[in-house]
Amino acid sequence: MKKVNNDVQTREQYNLEIHRFGRLFTIISIGLIIMVPIAYCIAAGVIPDFKALAKCIPFVLGYFAIGLVEAISYAPLLGTGGQYMSFITGNISNMKLPCSINSQSIAKVKQGSEEQELVSTISIAVSTITTTIIIAVGLIPLFIFREQIVNVLNPISPYVIPAIFGGLTVALVAKYYKTAAIPFAACIILCVVANLLGFGKVFDQSTMVILGMVISGISTFILYKKNRI
Amino acid sequence: MPQSYPILYILGALIALAVIVMSVFFILKAFRRAKAIGMDTKILKETIKNSAIFSIVPSIPIVIGIGIMMQYLGIAIPWIRLTVIGALQYELLSMDTAAQALRSISPDYSYQVLIANAVIVMTVSILSGPVFNAILYKKYQTKLADLQKKNSRLMDAITGALLGGMLSGMLSAILVGGIFTVGSPATYTGGINNYGEIILITLAASVVIMALFGVLLVVFKQKWVENYALPVTILGALAIAYAFVPVFEAKYASTDIVGLIANIAPFIG
């Protein structure tokens, strides 16, 4: 361990700085994202159909609620910097979070420590840069060879998530089997019943992640109160 | 393919630039902080390497997503939408919702109005997460940090519960979704079949490959495998999935022919 510099800011001060810049980047990003439909309407010379848009309000509210639940539930897992970056760039459960967990597991950082926060921040930042570059670089070949690229790579795209989560489960099972056993059993039952009743598409991966977190929160709290974990 | 206007490419470039500047900024901040608290920066350098390697494969479906969305929205809008928060299925669902609403109100709508409405729906629906972060996250995170200080056991239980819940939800959806599509492949947007058998094979392959890495690490003390275990597991499992795609395509194609013959047999018999 290197010598600690006593003149440096405290963890709270560092966090406040991250919040300040995180909010700034978030506001800039929201501004740029909102500019996209406005720019399209001006460039194409069209006015949106506001009556039709009003009919989409229930859909918008539904996703608004999901977004809020996700922001609240992922926050303790992503760390301060990671939370700001992840909710600007997306792909949280299928990339950012597994990437961060993998890095934390390799670095062997303690849960809740500042080291964990730093490793998670760097991991999510690097993951964001990698994906942004791959997407930008992929645009030109995609523009020219769209059909060929989609035909070659598309057959494996439904299997990327099982490929990630099989391995990730093996890496984490020893650490989380106590808290995950009850929600896993409950989620399996819920999924089977939903599929048997014909609601399988509703209970897809994104819905089940949220439900799993809620069930796990309740069951873990009971175990915690009974001093079983 | 619908037209993409130059202003959209400029906006896309600005967004990609903002995302990269933000990420580089947070990396530099984290490095400085690590040095200040005496953390070994070698760990952080390793984190950079691991995270870059890890993120390559999961980026592939995003690029494919742009390829699929291009035919409906041109190239610039899918590029922007999949660079920021969003996902292929969500964007297509938004577009479908916007199209249904337009059809019910003004059936003779132009395709440009459809794109305008779809992009508005996509943009607004997904903003609650970033808006929460801009307004409320600081307060929420401060409360979480206080809880960590006062009762670290409870905070550890909460993070463990959220992680365990995320894994449970994802695994159950993969497993049960896979089992229920065995024998009846589901078709995704873009016309690609999702075979339940291959989902289960891929999941099993990923578990087995990772377990083998575990044996190498724990029993044979091969510490070097730790950094590459998950990325190599993902690639290995996907290679196995890729090998099985033509097998099941052929199987279901022949089943389709048998079914077709069975259906028309009474009429030609």
Side-chain angles (χ1 to χ4, degrees):
Chain A
M1 185 74 80
K2 287 173 189 170
K3 193 183 163 212
V4 180
N5 182 354
N6 291 322
D7 298 329
V8 294
Q9 54 187 175
T10 62
R11 188 175 179 183
E12 284 75 17
Q13 288 169 324
Y14 171 74
N15 254 336
L16 283 177
E17 209 181 341
I18 294 296
H19 278 300
R20 194 165 66 244
F21 285 103
R23 284 168 134 180
L24 179 70
F25 282 122
T26 302
I27 291 165
I28 292 171
S29 305
I30 291 174
L32 287 171
I33 293 168
I34 289 174
M35 281 296 292
V36 176
I38 298 170
Y40 178 82
C41 289
I42 294 169
V46 290
I47 297 169
D49 188 318
F50 290 104
K51 275 187 188 166
L53 280 176
K55 282 197 87 174
C56 301
I57 288 174
F59 175 88
V60 172
L61 290 178
Y63 267 93
F64 230 78
I66 292 171
L68 274 180
V69 174
E70 282 185 341
I72 292 166
S73 0
Y74 283 128
L77 305 176
L78 295 166
T80 313
Q83 169 90 354
Y84 285 111
M85 282 184 278
S86 298
F87 279 88
I88 291 170
T89 55
N91 293 299
I92 301 169
S93 63
N94 60 334
M95 190 191 313
K96 304 281 175 4
L97 191 54
C99 182
S100 165
I101 294 166
N102 184 47
S103 299
Q104 289 173 36
S105 151
I106 293 168
K108 295 185 181 61
V109 284
K110 190 179 169 285
Q111 196 164 304
S113 66
E114 192 162 11
E115 284 81 359
Q116 182 199 28
E117 161 88 29
L118 297 175
V119 166
S120 176
T121 300
I122 289 179
S123 191
I124 291 169
V126 172
S127 180
T128 302
I129 294 171
T130 310
T131 310
T132 308
I133 291 173
I134 289 175
I135 292 175
V137 170
L139 282 183
I140 296 166
L142 204 55
F143 190 73
I144 304 166
F145 306 109
R146 190 192 82 85
E147 212 166 307
Q148 291 88 332
I149 291 173
V150 170
N151 283 345
V152 171
L153 295 176
N154 210 357
I156 55 160
S157 56
Y159 313 114
V160 173
I161 293 210
I164 294 173
F165 276 86
L168 197 64
T169 305
V170 174
L172 296 176
V173 75
K175 206 172 169 187
Y176 295 103
Y177 72 95
K178 276 186 186 172
T179 47
I182 297 170
F184 182 62
C187 286
I188 289 278
I189 294 167
L190 204 61
C191 262
V192 169
V193 172
N195 274 281
L196 288 175
L197 295 174
F199 294 110
K201 278 191 177 170
V202 181
F203 287 72
D204 62 359
Q205 289 161 1
S206 49
T207 312
M208 286 312 298
V209 165
I210 300 287
L211 286 175
M213 284 175 160
V214 173
I215 296 168
S216 182
I218 296 166
S219 62
T220 307
F221 188 70
I222 295 168
L223 289 175
Y224 172 83
K225 280 281 172 196
K226 290 185 173 178
N227 276 325
R228 303 286 290 272
I229 50 167
Chain B
M1 186 165 63
Q3 191 183 351
S4 286
Y5 301 96
I7 184 74
L8 294 175
Y9 287 108
I10 294 168
L11 260 178
L14 278 175
I15 288 171
L17 186 69
V19 164
I20 288 178
V21 168
M22 169 185 71
S23 307
V24 171
F25 174 85
F26 279 119
I27 291 173
L28 294 175
K29 275 269 160 208
F31 257 89
R32 272 188 212 140
R33 180 67 189 162
K35 274 185 186 165
I37 62 168
M39 187 180 171
D40 188 355
T41 49
K42 209 178 138 194
I43 295 174
L44 301 184
K45 284 176 191 160
E46 280 293 311
T47 301
I48 291 181
K49 195 174 75 185
N50 300 330
S51 306
I53 294 170
F54 179 94
S55 304
I56 295 169
V57 177
S59 300
I60 295 170
I62 302 173
V63 175
I64 297 164
I66 296 175
I68 292 170
M69 283 170 69
M70 269 166 70
Q71 53 198 319
Y72 310 115
L73 297 165
I75 198 162
I77 292 173
W79 170 39
I80 294 169
R81 293 298 320 154
L82 296 186
T83 297
V84 296
I85 188 160
L88 174 67
Q89 292 305 322
Y90 157 76
E91 313 293 349
L92 294 174
L93 200 61
S94 302
M95 186 153 180
D96 191 44
T97 306
Q100 278 180 28
L102 263 176
R103 266 197 295 272
S104 68
I105 284 175
S106 37
D108 53 343
Y109 63 86
S110 74
Y111 200 75
Q112 285 174 323
V113 172
L114 168 63
I115 294 180
N117 274 24
V119 179
I120 291 171
V121 174
M122 288 169 187
T123 305
V124 178
S125 313
I126 211 77
L127 278 181
S128 60
V131 168
F132 169 85
N133 282 350
I135 301 169
L136 297 169
Y137 175 58
K138 189 179 162 193
K139 255 189 189 169
Y140 178 59
Q141 197 272 335
T142 311
K143 289 222 182 321
L144 290 176
D146 285 347
L147 183 63
Q148 176 76 42
K149 263 187 196 166
K150 286 179 194 158
N151 190 348
S152 65
R153 194 180 140 243
L154 177 60
M155 193 59 206
D156 287 354
I158 291 171
T159 47
L162 291 171
L163 207 52
M166 193 267 288
L167 277 178
S168 303
M170 190 61 98
L171 266 185
S172 58
I174 295 169
L175 259 176
V176 178
I179 291 167
F180 273 84
T181 41
V182 167
S184 52
T187 304
Y188 278 163
T189 312
I192 283 300
N193 286 328
N194 175 15
Y195 300 101
E197 293 89 335
I198 305 183
I199 287 184
L200 299 175
I201 290 169
T202 312
L203 188 67
S206 179
V207 167
V208 170
I209 298 169
M210 193 65 174
L212 289 174
F213 275 119
V215 171
L216 273 177
L217 182 70
V218 178
V219 181
F220 295 100
K221 313 279 180 219
Q222 297 294 313
K223 213 178 163 336
W224 62 272
V225 302
E226 204 173 30
N227 291 349
Y228 305 98
L230 196 51
V232 174
T233 298
I234 296 168
L235 274 178
L238 279 178
I240 291 168
Y242 204 79
F244 273 101
V245 169
V247 176
F248 284 96
E249 269 176 358
K251 184 191 162 195
Y252 285 106
S254 63
T255 313
D256 286 348
I257 290 168
V258 171
L260 185 71
I261 292 169
N263 282 333
I264 60 169
F267 301 100
I268 56 173

